[in-house]
Amino acid sequence: MYYLRSSVNSQLQELKSIFQMWAERLGGSHEESGEYPAWMYQKESKIRPLMAEAYKEVTGKDAVISTVHAGLECGLLSAKKPTLDCVSFGPDIPDVHSVKERLDIASTARVWEMIKNVLAKLK
């Protein structure tokens, strides 16, 4: 079992085809379920600079904007509304997706402060 993800739908479809081909060539089987839509980086964003500014104001550090293995909700939502301007962020979750997963409370408080900060700027 595997879960494929990509920020580009055409590349996701190509990768699915490659996995299916190799499964068949090696005598295996291939079944698809639970696909996550791609979430493409939008060069122009009104919310991203606000989030970076809020991060700086809350933490005193510059935000690092990067592509990571996350943001499934953004992909699902932007698939329904392609013009949606969205960002993915959250608290620190050490050992995520394991039996040792835990939530860092201090980082959760920082995320809450960021949310309040951005909402105040959007008024």
Side-chain angles (χ1 to χ4, degrees):
M1 180 186 310
Y2 52 86
Y3 296 99
L4 299 177
R5 298 181 189 171
S6 175
S7 60
V8 180
N9 271 321
S10 61
Q11 291 178 352
L12 180 63
Q13 298 309 316
E14 181 180 342
L15 193 55
K16 282 172 38 177
S17 295
I18 291 168
F19 272 58
Q20 181 176 3
M21 182 226 19
W22 277 108
E24 291 169 359
R25 281 190 179 178
L26 296 171
S29 62
H30 178 266
E31 181 180 323
E32 294 181 25
S33 68
E35 182 176 311
Y36 298 108
W39 174 36
M40 290 192 66
Y41 176 80
Q42 300 295 327
K43 187 175 182 178
E44 300 297 322
S45 170
K46 292 182 181 179
I47 193 76
R48 190 171 45 244
L50 290 175
M51 294 299 299
E53 184 180 328
Y55 183 83
K56 175 82 171 188
E57 290 172 7
V58 170
T59 68
K61 301 178 205 169
D62 289 332
V64 176
I65 312 251
S66 63
T67 301
V68 296
H69 177 77
L72 297 177
E73 296 82 0
C74 291
L76 291 167
L77 294 171
S78 63
K80 301 288 183 194
K81 183 174 169 68
T83 59
L84 181 67
D85 184 12
C86 54
V87 296
S88 181
F89 69 102
D92 297 331
I93 307 173
D95 300 315
V96 69
H97 304 314
S98 77
V99 297
K100 295 180 180 181
E101 179 176 320
R102 56 202 187 280
L103 176 67
D104 182 283
I105 299 302
S107 71
T108 303
R110 287 190 298 271
V111 166
W112 176 240
E113 291 304 316
M114 285 177 57
I115 291 169
K116 292 190 306 185
N117 183 307
V118 169
L119 289 174
K121 292 176 191 302
L122 292 173
K123 285 185 178 180

